[in-house]
Amino acid sequence: MGEQSSGGSKKTGKTAKKAAPVKKGAPDKKVTPAKKVTPAKKAVGTGKAVAVKKAAPAKKVAVRPPRDESRTALVRRARRINRELAEVYPYAHPELDFENPFQLLVATVLSAQTTDLRVNQTTPALFARYPTPEDLAAANPEEVEEILRPCGFFRAKTKSVIGLSKALTEDFGGEVPGRLEDLVKLPGVGRKTAFVVLGNAFGRPGITVDTHFQRLVRRWQWTDETDPDKIEAAVGALFPKSEWTDLSHHVIWHGRRICHARKPACGACPVAPLCPAYGEGETDPEKARKLLKYEKGGFPGQRLKPPQAYLDAGGRPAPPLGAA
């Protein structure tokens, strides 16, 4: 378009010298209707412009709740999203390998700043050597550090797991307590970790507000809060308490597989019509499918020993540490 405009101005300059009174009107006609309308027609006819035209209706199809969405409408939309995710991830579960509350507690503490997959590849050696809180409490820190090195921040994590093991041994008879107020007193244990343990080891409802959960509930406009405790309270008020644990699994699984932080796969998202943030990621269905992770993308999951329901649904276990 820039070349056409400069070319037009050169012609205008030459003709103006020969017949200034006659040609003064001509450039006005060319510049106003021709030079602006013609490029627009060409742009619409190109493949790129057509693609944009086709994508626009798709964005409009998505239900974009207004900022003044009523409380009732928000509750209905939030619960519908959870129902949709429950159908997509009927086998959703904690993605940390564990056989008892103690293993789940330690694994959850180790999962900070790393993936569940890396934790699952590391804990078999840890629990084989230190199967009980008493064993880990009496462990040599340097030996534990060497085992936990693949998890990152291994010195701080070693201090936490040995510290919580000592607390369990001295204050709770070597048993993991089943109360929130007791769990959060343990070294390295916050509300998020406590709710993971309560919900999945003791069957007591809780909302796990990790980075995926925080990102998705804000994209869905369930809350504008950024503090984890406030997010927990705001989202918890939208659902029956009995649904909190499974809700956490559904949201976290969706965040890991489809609604990624950097480039969400909007074109492959089952809740796109209910998402106010639709269009932030890849909307083309074919391109979006290539962004899917774990079993949705045809790859192994994060657990070395996943539940049978996950395997029955086509999920594949993760490889052990060091496997090709």
Side-chain angles (χ1 to χ4, degrees):
M1 291 177 65
E3 292 180 358
Q4 291 178 354
S5 298
S6 61
S9 61
K10 289 180 181 179
K11 289 181 181 179
T12 301
K14 291 180 181 180
T15 54
K17 290 181 180 179
K18 294 180 180 180
V22 178
K23 295 294 182 178
K24 280 183 179 178
D28 292 338
K29 290 182 180 180
K30 290 182 180 180
V31 172
T32 304
K35 297 300 179 182
K36 291 185 178 180
V37 173
T38 303
K41 289 181 180 179
K42 289 181 179 180
V44 171
T46 63
K48 293 183 179 179
V50 171
V52 172
K53 288 282 184 179
K54 290 181 178 179
K59 292 183 179 180
K60 292 180 181 178
V61 169
V63 179
R64 293 176 177 272
R67 292 185 178 182
D68 60 347
E69 180 181 37
S70 70
R71 177 72 179 178
T72 300
L74 171 60
V75 171
R76 288 175 178 172
R77 182 168 62 86
R79 294 185 181 184
R80 183 178 172 190
I81 287 176
N82 188 39
R83 289 195 299 271
E84 294 287 343
L85 295 181
E87 293 184 6
V88 177
Y89 310 108
Y91 44 76
H93 57 270
E95 295 195 86
L96 290 168
D97 283 324
F98 69 97
E99 296 178 357
N100 54 58
F102 172 63
Q103 290 188 0
L104 178 58
L105 176 61
V106 171
T108 306
V109 170
L110 296 178
S111 68
Q113 305 297 321
T114 190
T115 64
D116 286 357
L117 171 58
R118 179 60 69 186
V119 174
N120 292 336
Q121 293 173 325
T122 305
T123 51
L126 179 70
F127 295 140
R129 186 158 187 173
Y130 311 106
T132 68
E134 292 82 0
D135 295 325
L136 191 52
N140 182 331
E142 292 182 357
E143 295 178 357
V144 176
E145 286 179 1
E146 193 59 33
I147 295 174
L148 299 184
R149 188 178 293 272
C151 287
F153 302 96
F154 58 91
R155 290 189 179 88
K157 291 180 179 180
T158 294
K159 184 177 180 180
S160 292
V161 297
I162 290 180
L164 71 84
S165 296
K166 288 181 178 179
L168 291 175
T169 302
E170 297 171 1
D171 302 331
F172 300 99
E175 299 292 333
V176 176
R179 299 195 311 164
L180 175 65
E181 53 267 38
D182 292 330
L183 285 169
V184 295
K185 293 178 182 178
L186 300 173
V189 178
R191 290 178 67 87
K192 183 193 81 171
T193 297
F195 281 129
V196 170
V197 175
L198 290 174
N200 299 288
F202 294 99
R204 297 176 183 175
I207 294 178
T208 304
V209 184
D210 71 349
T211 55
H212 300 289
F213 195 94
Q214 292 181 49
R215 180 177 71 254
L216 268 63
V217 298
R218 286 200 295 271
R219 278 181 176 169
W220 294 332
Q221 293 184 10
W222 288 3
T223 179
D224 292 328
E225 299 291 349
T226 56
D227 178 77
D229 291 350
K230 292 181 179 179
I231 291 175
E232 176 196 323
V235 175
L238 301 177
F239 297 87
K241 191 173 182 178
S242 60
E243 296 181 10
W244 287 357
T245 299
D246 285 341
L247 167 70
S248 299
H249 291 323
H250 298 154
V251 175
I252 293 171
W253 273 58
H254 192 59
R256 287 174 171 169
R257 286 152 179 77
I258 297 178
C259 195
H260 312 137
R262 295 183 180 179
K263 195 171 185 180
C266 294
C269 180
V271 297
L274 301 168
C275 181
Y278 174 81
E280 287 187 8
E282 180 58 65
T283 57
D284 180 84
E286 292 299 324
K287 293 180 179 179
R289 274 194 284 272
K290 294 179 181 180
L291 299 175
L292 302 182
K293 296 182 179 180
Y294 300 110
E295 80 287 346
K296 290 299 177 185
F299 305 107
Q302 299 202 70
R303 292 186 66 163
L304 278 67
K305 298 179 180 179
Q308 190 60 44
Y310 173 75
L311 298 174
D312 292 342
R316 288 188 290 164
L321 187 65

